[in-house]
Amino acid sequence: MGKGTAMGEPDFEQARRYALDRLDHELQPALCYHSIIHTRDEVVVAAERMAALDDLCGEPLLLLRTAAYFHDLGFIERRDGHEAVGVRIAEQALPGFGYTQPQIAAIGQMIMATRLPQAPATPLAAMLADSDLDMLGRDDFLSFNQLLRAELAAFSPPVSDAVWYRQQLGFVRSHRYWTPNARRLRDLGKQRNLLLLEELLATAESAATPG
């Protein structure tokens, strides 16, 4: 591992490569939702968009981006409690890339903010929490929701369409975005997705009713 840049700054690029390499090689194939794609192409992209909208730069941006790459790394060891495992992995790996203990603590706090039910304690943690559930308000919500359903079915007994859509409705209804930017970007789309789930639930219940 490197020890940071010549200027004493953390070596973000090496930390990023470390996280992506482990996600690429150590995640179970059944994790079709919590995959490298979720981290690299979804959460990181959403976090960087949020950072740009907030004019985030310097150390806060570095820490947010690092936390985004590390936030699901705990899945390489376990599904339940993966956030705490991810924090441990970050604590073990990031000193080798020149991150300080206060920086690592802030990254750990952001990772833990993605645990459900979310309760971010800092503005950066709120940004990562919102980025992790960005898809709830996007037009491609349903395709990712089906990936989540397939992933859960690989580890536990599958449920009926009616049960699934009822559960998803409850989750999305109870969810809130923490940052003004996420609410502005995604609340309207989330309302559209709630209507879609209601329609899917009604169809599933109708199909399940004898008649």
Side-chain angles (χ1 to χ4, degrees):
M1 293 183 187
K3 290 294 182 180
T5 66
M7 298 297 292
E9 295 295 322
D11 192 338
F12 166 75
E13 183 58 29
Q14 288 299 318
R16 182 187 75 85
R17 290 178 182 174
Y18 169 89
L20 289 178
D21 184 68
R22 296 201 69 179
L23 290 169
D24 194 30
H25 292 97
E26 298 181 50
L27 285 177
Q28 298 179 62
L31 294 167
C32 54
Y33 176 84
H34 292 102
S35 64
I36 188 173
I37 292 172
H38 169 69
T39 290
R40 183 192 61 208
D41 301 339
E42 302 296 321
V43 178
V44 169
V45 171
E48 290 177 342
R49 182 190 307 115
M50 297 277 288
L53 290 170
D54 240 21
D55 294 323
L56 207 65
C57 60
E59 184 181 56
L61 176 59
L62 168 79
L63 300 183
L64 176 65
R65 295 178 74 200
T66 304
Y69 277 103
F70 275 73
H71 85 285
D72 270 353
L73 205 48
F75 271 101
I76 67 176
E77 292 187 18
R78 57 183 296 172
R79 292 171 57 244
D80 295 335
H82 68 89
E83 298 92 353
V85 177
V87 172
R88 172 172 55 77
I89 293 172
E91 290 172 346
Q92 293 169 342
L94 291 177
F97 302 121
Y99 288 75
T100 66
Q101 288 306 312
Q103 289 172 334
I104 295 168
I107 289 166
Q109 188 176 44
M110 282 183 263
I111 293 172
M112 292 306 297
T114 65
R115 182 175 57 180
L116 299 176
Q118 293 179 337
T122 68
L124 287 178
M127 283 188 185
L128 187 60
D130 284 349
S131 299
D132 194 31
L133 294 177
D134 182 65
M135 63 93 180
L136 295 182
R138 294 205 316 256
D139 292 341
D140 56 0
F141 161 77
L142 193 59
S143 61
F144 283 97
N145 189 255
Q146 293 304 315
L147 284 177
L148 178 62
R149 184 177 184 180
E151 177 178 304
L152 293 176
F155 296 97
S156 57
V159 298
S160 69
D161 286 350
V163 169
W164 175 256
Y165 292 125
R166 197 174 299 117
Q167 290 173 344
Q168 296 308 294
L169 261 174
F171 178 77
V172 179
R173 282 173 176 159
S174 67
H175 169 265
R176 58 167 289 190
Y177 285 115
W178 300 93
T179 64
N181 283 325
R183 290 194 290 270
R184 179 172 57 82
L185 283 175
R186 298 302 185 208
D187 269 355
L188 184 59
K190 193 171 71 169
Q191 291 305 311
R192 289 195 296 266
N193 289 330
L194 277 171
L195 292 175
L196 175 61
L197 287 171
E198 289 171 354
E199 292 171 0
L200 290 167
L201 175 59
T203 299
E205 290 179 334
S206 176
T209 301

